[in-house]
Amino acid sequence: MREIAKRMARLDGKVALITGGANGIGLACATRFAEEGASVVIADLLDDAGESAAVDLRGEGHRVMFVHLDATSTADNEAAVVAAVADFGSLELLVTAAGISFAGYTSGDRAQERQMAQLGASVGLATAFLHLPSEQWQPVLDVNLTGTLLAVQAAGRQMVAQASGGSIVTIASIAALVPEVGTLAYSVSKAGVWMLTKMAAMSLASEGIRVNAIGPGFIETNMTHIIQTLPERPDKLMEQIPMRRFGQPREIADLALFLASDEASYVTGELMVADGGFYTH
């Protein structure tokens, strides 16, 4: 019987840093990248969840470690890069999945989610816009936009120093394109991530570093859980999604894998939307 040669994994020999890698899209990316041969650093504010994810993936035979990361901290972002290089020898890939939907957001806190949803439904659009307090605005921009910048800068410096190129994938949102999808702070922060991605792609192309963004639609994660529990909201929302379902984190991870791999070697500065057709309306 003729032996079939084992397919070479698409990320063999590469090292990936995944911010927000403890759950949701970030964890799906960490898992998918590890399956394709990458050594993976999961970086997250949630220590227990992050360490547990790393233990599980190591148990499956993958090279994975966890580091604590406050996305808004320059020092933490730099330390995550240092840890990746110290343990795995280099850094070729970055996915910036760390993000929050509102100030004080804690992944998986259902009571907190219900409280914010009820608050949002109790006021009109004009009131919500004109009276948004800075303490509800700034933390979202700090994590989603500034946090992305800090991660891209820290990883980018290492990639330039290695002089071997690299690929960076930022996680934006369809909220960057469709204002009614997200809250004011969230939508503006994700629109900023999209422009940041284009600026980074233009700035780093000469160094062989590609930078692209993914705009997920409604994906089944802790962040979107509340939408599926509010009366009538799921049905009304599903009518706007031609594929009539929420996406799965792995579907976003598969797109991130393509952008990170050499299969996307001529792709940079792009926003690739994965939303089941929502943006076709």
Side-chain angles (χ1 to χ4, degrees):
M1 181 182 293
R2 187 179 64 180
E3 292 186 4
I4 299 175
K6 181 181 178 182
R7 178 183 64 85
M8 183 175 180
R10 282 178 276 182
L11 302 182
D12 270 349
K14 295 185 178 181
V15 179
L17 170 61
I18 316 290
T19 72
N23 60 57
I25 290 172
L27 177 55
C29 289
T31 302
R32 196 71 188 88
F33 282 29
E35 290 172 349
E36 287 292 334
S39 300
V40 176
V41 178
I42 294 174
D44 205 294
L45 192 64
L46 303 176
D47 294 333
D48 291 343
E51 188 56 64
S52 177
V55 169
D56 289 346
L57 287 170
R58 285 198 297 270
E60 296 174 8
H62 303 302
R63 299 181 69 200
V64 180
M65 64 176 291
F66 169 75
V67 296
H68 176 86
L69 174 77
D70 175 351
T72 68
S73 166
T74 299
D76 278 10
N77 279 282
E78 292 174 346
V81 171
V82 168
V85 176
D87 274 46
F88 299 134
S90 62
L91 180 65
E92 288 79 26
L93 309 172
L94 169 69
V95 177
T96 62
I100 59 175
S101 53
F102 55 83
Y105 172 81
T106 302
S107 182
D109 189 332
R110 305 305 184 209
Q112 181 191 50
E113 292 169 358
R114 285 193 296 272
Q115 181 181 12
M116 291 303 298
Q118 291 166 358
L119 178 62
S122 66
V123 298
L125 289 175
T127 299
F129 179 86
L130 295 173
H131 298 281
L132 177 72
S134 61
E135 57 267 25
Q136 289 295 324
W137 164 272
Q138 196 60 53
V140 179
L141 272 291
D142 289 344
V143 173
N144 294 359
L145 182 51
T146 303
T148 298
L149 171 64
L150 295 177
V152 170
Q153 287 179 322
R157 286 192 292 267
Q158 177 61 34
M159 293 175 187
V160 169
Q162 292 170 185
S164 56
S167 178
I168 295 172
V169 180
T170 66
I171 304 298
S173 169
I174 55 169
L177 304 169
V178 186
E180 67 267 26
V181 169
T183 62
L184 174 59
Y186 182 80
S187 295
V188 171
S189 72
K190 291 302 186 177
V193 168
W194 171 212
M195 180 54 71
L196 170 61
T197 300
K198 290 195 285 188
M199 292 293 291
M202 182 178 66
S203 301
L204 300 176
S206 62
E207 301 291 342
I209 300 171
R210 297 182 296 104
V211 190
N212 292 286
I214 295 175
F218 292 92
I219 310 301
E220 286 191 6
T221 65
N222 283 333
M223 192 176 288
T224 61
H225 178 268
I226 188 63
I227 299 173
Q228 302 178 66
T229 62
L230 295 175
E232 299 184 2
R233 286 288 292 279
D235 290 341
K236 290 182 179 179
L237 179 58
M238 212 61 69
E239 292 174 0
Q240 301 178 67
I241 303 174
M243 291 184 72
R244 296 294 189 268
R245 67 176 178 86
F246 276 33
Q248 297 298 314
R250 188 176 179 91
E251 292 177 296
I252 305 303
D254 284 338
L255 181 51
L257 172 61
F258 165 71
L259 291 172
S261 74
D262 292 339
E263 294 167 12
S265 59
Y266 199 52
V267 180
T268 195
E270 295 296 329
L271 171 64
M272 294 194 172
V273 174
D275 64 356
F278 183 94
Y279 193 52
T280 60
H281 287 276

